[in-house]
Amino acid sequence: MANKRQLVKRRKAVRNIRKITRTMQLIATARFQATFKRATASRPYSQKLAELVGNLSGIEVELTDSLLEPHSETARDTTLVITSNRGLCGGYNANVIRKAIEHIDGLTGCGTPCDAQMIGKKGITYFRFLKRAMTEVSHLGDTPKFEMIEPLADALMDRFRRGEITTAHVTYMKFYSAGRQRPEVMQLLPLATSKAGDPHGAGANAASPGAAGSEGAAVGGGTAAGGGAGGADARSGGGASGTATGVQFDFSPAPKELLEELLPATVRLRLFQCFLEAAVSEQIARMVAMKAATDAAGDMIKTLTRQYNRARQTSITMELLDIIGGAAAVQ
Amino acid sequence: MATTSTFHCSVITPEREVLSTDATSVVFPAHDGEVGILVDRAPLLFALGIGVMRVDGAEGSRRLFIDGGFAQMLANDLTILTGQALEPAEIKADRARSALAQAGELKITDDASFAARDKAIRRAQGQLKLIEQGG
């Protein structure tokens, strides 16, 4: 027979845990809304950036930007893996890490050395446990700011231009909707020109038809086809003007140089958006995990209550039997 | 016509829309010096530098620190896209000062480090300038 006192104690413990998980679920919900708002707040920027690139793509520019093609014969890859700093979010980190390892091992198997750059404590700890080589980035916090991401993107672009790496990827939990997130590997560098169908980037966020998406930045940059440009040549002052999308623009510096500045901005934005989406996905994962924990605690409380009641009834019956037995013996 | 004396000005960072207002004139730091914008300015597309921008409107003048980016003027709509846009209240003087001191100590070994040092110094100086101007 189960001990009544023990059952009561356990039930109390489970109740307390349920209180905690429920609170965590509510906190995760609030955080989800906050991160989601942050993610949507980057939309105007990406739309406008795409618009700018759109305005420029009408100008005839032969673009040979250093971000569009690798600068070295020997292939080498860097993969950023965005994981969370805290646990209790279900399979969130495990899924991202599994995808990352799959990607890294795949590349290494093909003979391309691949450096892992782990972001977030959970990923770092796990890679340490596996004794895998990696670079650690752990200073970013839960809601990284753009100015923190910027140096990260700049460093990657720098290494890419110097030919130290030929590709750069980001593995993160992509946010499709509140009900669907999937771990994905996104190519950050070289800026993909053939992957116009890639749903990522500003294009995915830019709902307005005017915005071609920052994917368009890469595409437009590569070909820069279009109508006849006016005096698009860079004058000594760096100023130029030309027709783009039917509008006569004043450019400073010349369109070519402007595009060369726009592409890094696109890369930075895409990396930043990865972080934003990862943060949203993390909160959703935590919300779901905590909801499951709360529900499981509820079920456990029900079972324990049933066991307790049965134990109580049994002990009463036993006592009664004792008394009746005792009385019968006296008579 | 009173309605045509102003144009729309918005300052957008990847994190938020910092400013969206009607302005009579805007002065911003382009990559090669300051540029002033008045209503009916011909369309322009400029790369920005680091520094303080000023927006004059009906509610007075506002100043913001901006950190590079792009400016586009099209059909009386000026859009400033920048990595960072700070109001004077958001800047901490001692932090900017220490950033300036740190930037001064950066070692120059190649072009990239020179550019990085120059950028860091201009960033800190721009912030300090904005505080001194008192918004």
Side-chain angles (χ1 to χ4, degrees):
Chain A
M1 185 183 67
N3 189 341
K4 268 197 298 178
R5 186 168 285 273
Q6 245 177 2
L7 282 171
V8 172
K9 246 179 156 177
R10 272 196 67 192
R11 195 171 58 172
K12 217 172 183 179
V14 175
R15 271 201 188 123
N16 284 338
I17 290 171
R18 185 172 65 168
K19 265 186 215 162
I20 293 169
T21 53
R22 182 173 288 157
T23 316
M24 288 177 82
Q25 185 195 334
L26 293 177
I27 292 172
T29 313
R31 287 220 176 116
F32 158 66
Q33 276 153 0
T35 47
F36 188 68
K37 225 167 133 189
R38 249 170 76 88
T40 40
S42 76
R43 237 172 248 188
Y45 186 89
S46 50
Q47 278 175 8
K48 280 286 173 187
L49 199 66
E51 202 183 304
L52 250 64
V53 175
N55 285 336
L56 270 173
S57 59
I59 304 288
E60 214 168 88
V61 187
E62 188 61 41
L63 197 83
T64 48
D65 190 86
S66 44
L67 293 178
L68 294 170
E69 274 170 26
H71 297 265
S72 172
E73 297 290 305
T74 45
R76 189 171 188 91
D77 178 76
T78 287
T79 298
L80 265 70
V81 185
I82 306 178
T83 59
S84 72
N85 282 318
R86 295 153 201 255
L88 292 179
C89 45
Y92 172 78
N93 288 311
N95 284 335
V96 174
I97 291 170
R98 193 181 309 130
K99 186 88 186 171
I101 290 180
E102 203 176 277
H103 168 72
I104 293 168
D105 288 350
L107 277 180
T108 320
C110 297
T112 310
C114 182
D115 315 316
Q117 207 168 348
M118 303 302 288
I119 294 150
K121 275 185 202 153
K122 291 288 154 188
I124 292 173
T125 321
Y126 190 62
F127 262 49
R128 249 186 230 153
F129 168 72
L130 291 180
K131 294 194 169 62
R132 290 183 79 109
M134 60 164 167
T135 335
E136 297 174 12
V137 184
S138 56
H139 62 278
L140 292 173
D142 289 337
T143 46
K145 290 190 167 166
F146 185 69
E147 69 226 49
M148 293 160 112
I149 306 303
E150 228 180 335
L152 212 64
D154 287 349
L156 277 177
M157 285 188 275
D158 231 37
R159 289 175 59 200
F160 182 78
R161 284 200 187 102
R162 283 203 302 265
E164 285 173 27
I165 52 171
T166 49
T167 48
H169 289 88
V170 187
T171 313
Y172 69 110
M173 189 66 87
K174 186 166 168 56
F175 171 81
Y176 288 98
S177 70
R180 206 163 88 92
Q181 303 89 43
R182 276 179 53 197
E184 269 190 17
V185 181
M186 200 248 324
Q187 181 176 324
L188 192 68
L189 290 170
L191 267 172
T193 49
S194 55
K195 279 210 231 160
D198 182 355
H200 186 77
N205 282 342
S208 93
S214 49
E215 214 70 45
V219 181
T223 52
D233 55 319
R235 279 177 243 139
S236 54
S241 65
T243 45
T245 54
V247 183
Q248 181 93 19
F249 272 99
D250 285 348
F251 292 110
S252 173
K256 181 175 183 293
E257 285 149 53
L258 260 178
L259 257 179
E260 278 170 7
E261 285 195 43
L262 270 165
L263 295 186
T266 311
V267 172
R268 281 183 213 120
L269 178 71
R270 287 174 76 177
L271 185 61
F272 183 58
Q273 278 176 336
C274 290
F275 275 88
L276 289 177
E277 285 191 29
V280 177
S281 305
E282 182 196 335
Q283 294 309 333
I284 290 177
R286 183 160 296 126
M287 236 160 70
V288 172
M290 287 303 115
K291 170 130 184 34
T294 310
D295 292 349
D299 289 347
M300 203 178 264
I301 289 169
K302 258 188 203 158
T303 319
L304 284 172
T305 308
R306 207 172 292 134
Q307 280 176 4
Y308 167 75
N309 285 342
R310 194 161 294 157
R312 191 174 131 267
Q313 234 167 7
T314 317
S315 74
I316 291 169
T317 315
M318 295 290 273
E319 259 174 58
L320 272 178
L321 282 177
D322 275 355
I323 294 165
I324 292 164
V330 172
Q331 281 171 6
Chain B
M1 282 196 292
T3 47
T4 54
S5 66
T6 61
F7 58 98
H8 189 256
C9 171
S10 52
V11 178
I12 304 170
T13 71
E15 292 183 33
R16 67 201 167 106
E17 192 165 332
V18 182
L19 185 74
S20 179
T21 182
D22 284 329
T24 50
S25 89
V26 173
V27 177
F28 61 77
H31 69 110
D32 55 356
E34 288 205 323
V35 173
I37 304 281
L38 293 172
V39 72
D40 287 337
R41 170 74 170 82
L44 70 79
L45 200 47
F46 277 17
L48 298 179
I50 299 169
V52 179
M53 73 173 281
R54 198 182 77 218
V55 181
D56 291 328
E59 301 131 34
S61 167
R62 278 180 78 175
R63 282 166 205 274
L64 287 171
F65 167 77
I66 57 168
D67 184 2
F70 307 93
Q72 179 188 251
M73 177 78 172
L74 187 61
N76 271 335
D77 190 358
L78 176 70
T79 312
I80 306 275
L81 290 181
T82 177
Q84 206 184 2
L86 296 173
E87 307 251 9
E90 290 173 301
I91 299 171
K92 295 201 174 67
D94 44 345
R95 255 173 77 180
R97 260 180 224 117
S98 67
L100 183 61
Q102 269 177 18
E105 283 166 19
L106 286 175
K107 286 216 170 75
I108 300 173
T109 50
D110 52 7
D111 286 353
S113 59
F114 172 74
R117 180 175 183 267
D118 187 46
K119 215 173 171 184
I121 288 179
R122 277 192 291 149
R123 206 171 270 163
Q125 277 175 342
Q127 295 189 3
L128 286 171
K129 190 176 157 201
L130 179 58
I131 303 172
E132 279 160 21
Q133 289 170 345

